[in-house]
Amino acid sequence: MVLVGKTCPSFPKSQLQWLKGEPTDVPVPGKPCVIELWATWCGPCRQIFPHLSKIQGEYAAKGLRVVGISVEELGGELQQFVDYQSGKMDYTVACSDRVGGALMQAAGVSGIPHSFVVDSEGVIQFSGHPGNPSFAAAVRKVMTTATAPKALPLVTASREELAAMPVRTLKTILQERNLSVAGLAEKRDLVDRILSDCTTQTYFANV
């Protein structure tokens, strides 16, 4: 509880290794989020995965991001573990023993699972076990005060129409949906990503 009411320590997305979902700074800038510290060897952590997935699904349309951070180092077994969980971990997942350790130290705790509920201003509203009834109450609180995000329109342009657009415009289409353009060196790569991810999936932006 030592951090409740205080600004959450922040970490750029480059300091974490990403296992599932779109990378983001932690906490998520301008959006309410749940930060969950866990590990593969933690039985109680595995029991919480479906609960966090349910919360992510329930509040996704209002902009909530659940980010699970393993306190372990990245390895093939860790990636395989996350892939195996499939829909049980239906939220963003990363790993960093340094980031996880820093959050635990700041909270004055040594055990996991441990969750932080952070509002859109970056202020921690809950710090504790995600099975605690106060956790769910804190999520409801931050979502009640959260600004409803604006649904971005589906991209309906054809491949030819996209190919005729400037590279800057193509990058904007992806970036305003929080989709990374890293590694997309050619215009055709940007077009392929837009056609793959932006024609059927609705994305939201804060208003």
Side-chain angles (χ1 to χ4, degrees):
M1 298 296 288
V2 66
L3 286 180
V4 174
K6 298 182 179 179
T7 300
C8 182
S10 60
F11 306 90
K13 57 187 175 184
S14 60
Q15 291 188 8
L16 299 99
Q17 290 76 49
W18 298 91
L19 304 167
K20 185 173 184 177
E22 191 68 24
T24 177
D25 294 342
V26 177
V28 181
K31 291 186 178 182
C33 68
V34 173
I35 303 169
E36 169 69 7
L37 303 181
W38 67 281
T40 57
W41 45 260
C42 171
C45 295
R46 293 194 293 270
Q47 295 174 3
I48 291 297
F49 296 162
H51 178 50
L52 295 174
S53 295
K54 181 180 178 181
I55 287 175
Q56 176 65 91
E58 183 176 354
Y59 293 108
K62 292 190 67 176
L64 178 72
R65 288 284 298 274
V66 175
V67 181
I69 301 176
S70 171
V71 296
E72 304 162 276
E73 285 290 345
L74 177 64
E77 292 184 358
L78 180 55
Q79 182 67 70
Q80 290 175 7
F81 178 89
V82 173
D83 292 344
Y84 180 77
Q85 299 304 312
S86 186
K88 292 181 181 179
M89 293 185 88
D90 200 11
Y91 48 88
T92 303
V93 184
C95 68
S96 173
D97 61 340
R98 193 190 72 79
V99 171
L103 286 168
M104 292 176 69
Q105 182 177 15
V109 299
S110 58
I112 53 176
H114 191 90
S115 289
F116 303 91
V117 177
V118 186
D119 64 24
S120 58
E121 301 298 322
V123 177
I124 295 176
Q125 300 296 332
F126 173 86
S127 173
H129 194 288
N132 188 316
S134 297
F135 168 78
V139 171
R140 289 193 296 270
K141 176 183 176 181
V142 300
M143 297 315 300
T144 298
T145 58
T147 300
K150 177 183 178 182
L152 297 171
L154 295 176
V155 174
T156 59
S158 67
R159 179 178 294 275
E160 291 73 19
E161 290 170 330
L162 290 170
M165 296 179 184
V167 168
R168 178 180 297 180
T169 300
L170 298 176
K171 288 184 176 180
T172 298
I173 291 173
L174 292 169
Q175 291 171 337
E176 69 183 0
R177 290 162 174 79
N178 292 317
L179 297 174
S180 174
V181 298
L184 304 180
E186 303 291 336
K187 176 182 277 191
R188 65 174 178 271
D189 297 327
L190 295 167
V191 171
D192 287 345
R193 183 73 190 275
I194 291 171
L195 291 173
S196 172
D197 294 352
C198 305
T199 57
T200 58
Q201 173 68 44
T202 299
Y203 295 88
F204 295 87
N206 281 348
V207 295

